Amino acid sequence: MNIIVIPNGKLSSWAFIAATAIAILAAVVLIMLGRVSYANTDFTPLSPTSGSPSITPMPTPSGTDASDTLGSPPIFVSGTSIGSPDAPVIIVIYSDFQCNPCQHFALTAGKELENTYVETGKVRLIFKHFVVYGEESMLAAQAAECAAEQNKFWPYYYLLMQERTSPEVADVSVAMLESLAQQVGLNMATFDASLTSGKFMEKVIYDDSEGRSLEVTGTPAFFINRIKGVGIKPFETFQKVIEELLSGSIS
Amino acid sequence: MLNRRKNALSDLSRSGMAIRITIPILGMAGMGISGYLTYVHYQWIEPMCLAGMDCSSVLFSPYAQIWDIPISLLGFLMYAVLTVCGGIFVYRQKRYSPLIALGIYTLALSGTLYSIYLIYREFRMQAFCSWCLGSAILMASILVLSIINMSAGGRHIIEILNSKHVKQPKFSAMMVRKGES
């Protein structure tokens, strides 16, 4: 087999075989690096000196909204938080309503987390605002806080994430946010009054500033107890970390 | 006889050059795709995507990066090297460099194998990205062209271009006889 020919002679087929072996090796190394990076760096434990998000204590169960599904345990909802006050694992999510990966998280892993761990009392989710895409994101964040005021943050969050398109399409407007509020069943007079007064702007700015002080570099960002992660993660990645935290193998 | 040789040389040169020109063209197309995907990764924007495909899920999946480096950036660098190597072939025209041909083949093979792995991951995720599939097709095409370039284009062109070295005695003898007549 003389594959390669040069003017002054022929390179042996060994050169071709060696090149093939190098190429296969390079591909295998890339695949292995990808797998190692996938397994090890999805979430980073915070160093002892790192800060962690502030967590407001849940109010007593009497002040919460319980699931009305017969036979299922109650799901405690307070503001932008959902889950048992005694949940051993707390996940703080920094997110922007116009960010595509945030949307992806909300409609995939977020839903699964709620169904699998929040409903069983093992995990409490806390949503915090991290404004990436300017005024429209700020407006959407305030609208979500207006929904939280009426204890309907989570249905509003999922609906908004489902309905929005992308930061390039200026589809977040007061009319759109009001329409979603109606669909969720909010008291529209209260919602409109809160949104137009801008009473939650300070809360949104506080969340955002806190995220920046915690060196959140992108959205969505997660703090699972004291473990930090940024970007889209599949449900299985959360599951792995949560199970390890629950079993005590990591802290 | 001489004319037949010239015609054969001309035909093979044309086909060989077509192959060599196509490699950097495909490389530039690959740079365009991977450059766009790198931009999408760093800007966190929704990528354009063919109907029925889910580019976002693929591009923002954990498999789309190795630690903090998006694989689209690695792809961009790979396509850039392929473009430069292919460009050298075009620039040098009939001077065939086996090492560059071998380099193109090696890069294209590793890129194609990795692309096959990524397509496998897409199957597992049940989400497909048109850009990634397009890039895989480009890389596989470059691989095929690089093999043709080495095994046919390269060998035959060089053999014929250097026929005076390969078959010099007969060739010279013929030239002498023609000159005499």
Side-chain angles (χ1 to χ4, degrees), chain A residues 2-6 16 19-20 23-24 27 30-31 33 35-38 41 100-101 104 133 168 219 232 234, chain B residues 43-46 57 60 62-63 65-67 74 96 98 102 105-106 109-110 113-114 117 121 150-151 155:
Chain A
N2 293 310
I3 299 295
I4 301 161
V5 184
I6 58 174
F16 179 75
T20 305
I24 293 170
L30 269 179
I31 291 167
L33 282 176
R35 292 186 75 85
V36 169
S37 108
Y38 176 66
T41 63
N100 296 321
H104 188 274
Y133 293 105
E168 290 74 40
T219 49
I232 288 183
Chain B
Q43 294 297 313
W44 297 78
I45 57 171
E46 182 80 29
S57 296
F60 293 107
Y63 292 102
Q65 60 188 53
I66 297 175
W67 281 284
L74 298 178
Y96 180 78
L102 204 58
Y105 164 77
T106 309
L109 179 60
S110 59
L113 291 174
Y114 194 62
Y117 168 73
R121 296 300 340 170
M150 281 195 303
S151 62
R155 185 176 64 210

Side-chain angles (χ1 to χ4, degrees), chain B residues 46-94:
Chain B
E46 182 80 29
M48 292 179 283
C49 201
L50 288 181
M53 297 212 174
D54 185 0
C55 297
S56 279
S57 296
V58 175
L59 294 176
F60 293 107
S61 81
Y63 292 102
Q65 60 188 53
I66 297 175
W67 281 284
D68 289 335
I69 305 167
I71 55 170
S72 52
L73 180 60
L74 298 178
F76 181 83
L77 296 174
M78 191 175 268
Y79 278 118
V81 174
L82 287 170
T83 304
V84 170
C85 290
I88 290 172
F89 258 132
V90 174
Y91 178 73
R92 295 175 70 174
Q93 296 193 352
K94 291 170 185 173

Side-chain angles (χ1 to χ4, degrees), chain A residues 26 33 61 88 147 211 244 250:
Chain A
L33 282 176
E244 286 178 358
I250 58 170

Side-chain angles (χ1 to χ4, degrees), chain A residues 31-121:
Chain A
I31 291 167
M32 295 308 291
L33 282 176
R35 292 186 75 85
V36 169
S37 108
Y38 176 66
N40 293 340
T41 63
D42 281 333
F43 290 102
T44 316
L46 294 177
S47 64
T49 53
S50 303
S52 53
S54 61
I55 294 167
T56 312
M58 291 284 273
T60 55
S62 61
T64 62
D65 187 20
S67 166
D68 56 5
T69 309
L70 193 64
S72 62
I75 305 172
F76 300 111
V77 177
S78 171
T80 61
S81 165
I82 186 170
S84 166
D86 303 320
V89 177
I90 295 175
I91 301 180
V92 177
I93 308 159
Y94 283 94
S95 178
D96 181 301
F97 282 98
Q98 291 204 101
C99 128
N100 296 321
C102 301
Q103 179 187 39
H104 188 274
F105 164 78
L107 303 179
T108 56
K111 280 272 188 193
E112 280 196 78
L113 277 175
E114 192 178 324
N115 294 336
T116 310
Y117 289 108
V118 174
E119 287 187 6
T120 53

Side-chain angles (χ1 to χ4, degrees), chain B:
Chain B
M1 176 70 84
L2 190 59
N3 284 338
R4 274 223 310 269
R5 279 183 179 279
K6 275 183 178 173
N7 288 339
L9 172 60
S10 171
D11 288 345
L12 283 165
S13 293
R14 273 201 293 273
S15 62
M17 282 309 291
I19 289 168
R20 291 174 189 186
I21 289 170
T22 309
I23 289 175
I25 288 173
L26 293 181
M28 281 190 281
M31 282 172 73
I33 289 178
S34 51
Y36 172 68
L37 297 184
T38 306
Y39 173 76
V40 165
H41 179 93
Y42 283 114
Q43 294 297 313
W44 297 78
I45 57 171
E46 182 80 29
M48 292 179 283
C49 201
L50 288 181
M53 297 212 174
D54 185 0
C55 297
S56 279
S57 296
V58 175
L59 294 176
F60 293 107
S61 81
Y63 292 102
Q65 60 188 53
I66 297 175
W67 281 284
D68 289 335
I69 305 167
I71 55 170
S72 52
L73 180 60
L74 298 178
F76 181 83
L77 296 174
M78 191 175 268
Y79 278 118
V81 174
L82 287 170
T83 304
V84 170
C85 290
I88 290 172
F89 258 132
V90 174
Y91 178 73
R92 295 175 70 174
Q93 296 193 352
K94 291 170 185 173
R95 286 173 59 205
Y96 180 78
S97 168
L99 284 179
I100 293 178
L102 204 58
I104 292 176
Y105 164 77
T106 309
L107 270 180
L109 179 60
S110 59
T112 303
L113 291 174
Y114 194 62
S115 298
I116 290 169
Y117 168 73
L118 293 176
I119 291 170
Y120 161 73
R121 296 300 340 170
E122 291 184 22
F123 267 107
R124 292 288 301 271
M125 288 169 63
Q126 285 298 300
F128 295 94
C129 166
S130 45
W131 294 105
C132 311
L133 295 175
S135 172
I137 291 168
L138 282 180
M139 193 59 88
S141 305
I142 293 175
L143 173 65
V144 171
L145 289 176
S146 73
I147 293 171
I148 294 171
N149 186 36
M150 281 195 303
S151 62
R155 185 176 64 210
H156 291 151
I157 288 168
I158 294 306
E159 277 182 346
I160 290 169
L161 280 175
N162 294 283
S163 56
K164 59 184 176 186
H165 297 296
V166 177
K167 297 175 180 175
Q168 193 150 9
K170 192 176 174 184
F171 192 64
S172 303
M174 185 180 71
M175 292 289 282
V176 170
R177 277 200 299 275
K178 271 186 173 284
E180 285 172 352
S181 66

